[in-house]
Amino acid sequence: MFKILCNQIPRVLTVLTIPIITNKYSFSDISNDNNNITSKPGLNNMTVLGGTANQELTKQVCDILGVKPGEMDVTRFSDGEIHVQINESIRGKDCFIIQTCAAPVNDNLLELLLTITAARRSGAASVTAVIPYYGYKHNRRGLPISSTYHSRFLWSAASDFAKMLRILGVDKVISVDLQKSGQGHESCFFDNTIPVENISSIDSFVDYINNQLLIDPTNNKKKQITNKLVIVSPNTEYIKKAKKLELLLKQSHSNRHIDTAVILDNTHTNRLEGNAEIVGDVKDADVIIVDDFIDTATSLAILCRLLKKEGARRVFICASHGLFTQTSMELIDLSPVEKVIVTDSVPLPKGSSNKIVQISIAPLIAKILESEAITSNAIWDSERISDDNVKEIDEDDEEFELE
């Protein structure tokens, strides 16, 4: 009996050391839904690969472009490792990888990096990383100030992420609301060898506000918002974004009173104690708070109550990215906010509040990708024609020498 057990030990150890596949995501099913789609002219040499973080956004972009999502498998093993396999030929093609870096941030970030290397090793002519939500963009931290030199060493995880993308061979980066208006922090993390294109979502918010919240008073339909509207910046960093939204809305509604306000001393302690100062008049006005992202929703819930206390009639929130972690949905339901409008750069979690409204950025991304693919094809065609001309000249020279 002891001898039999000893013979079985190596086999048992071998089984235990093999990681178990826990999740396998295949994109062939998504591709099969679009078998009858005819791609637009000039897009035959492009491939769109979608990560697992936001598959619905990838599908919407491909539907607009008229292309099928590239077939690939993403496997997650029980030990946490990730394996990416591309199941179609992308040799010589322009590859666009759509992957948002929301929670779980590290898993989605590593999946993006592995997809980039898989595309490079598969012979892609170019690789463009489309990152709707750029991970670690708000992680700006500095080491403690030195008491001796009164200085500190600064670092940013976002710049480290940018360096990873550059080293792995990304040719271009496309993101949505990568930086605050008037600031260029994140784009400066990349060197001049990688173009960084930032898609602004403010026009999409303006369209939604005009069509859903603001209704012409001369129309017989019931107005969603009164004649007085105030755009509120939650801190001094978003004043320019609030002013831009104000100007765009005034272009369509010159007969309305539209103004801006800003909240000063907006620290966590001041918000809790109700000491945050509001510069601007929000009394009897409908208010729209503009922000970059919503995480736990704690700050925005407090701000909504503060604005209501100052006499605001109703409060709306427009944020570029809806992360919605922890108990954010419960806080939104309990807060006096009417609606929270976000883009679909990050998929909504299950059990989302009825107050959440998502607007699609797929048309914006599709427009950029179409332009990139057509431009790349034009360059490739011009190079091919030039090579053909050179070949014809060489052949003519050979014939001349023979004569």
Side-chain angles (χ1 to χ4, degrees), residues 306-318:
L306 177 63
L307 292 169
K308 293 289 286 186
K309 182 181 177 181
E310 294 294 324
R313 180 173 174 266
R314 289 192 298 175
V315 181
F316 302 87
I317 297 174
C318 290

Side-chain angles (χ1 to χ4, degrees), residues 201-210 318-320 341-343 359:
S201 63
I202 193 166
D203 288 334
S204 300
F205 285 110
V206 170
D207 291 339
Y208 179 85
I209 293 171
N210 284 333
C318 290
S320 302
I341 304 103
V342 296
T343 70
I359 57 177

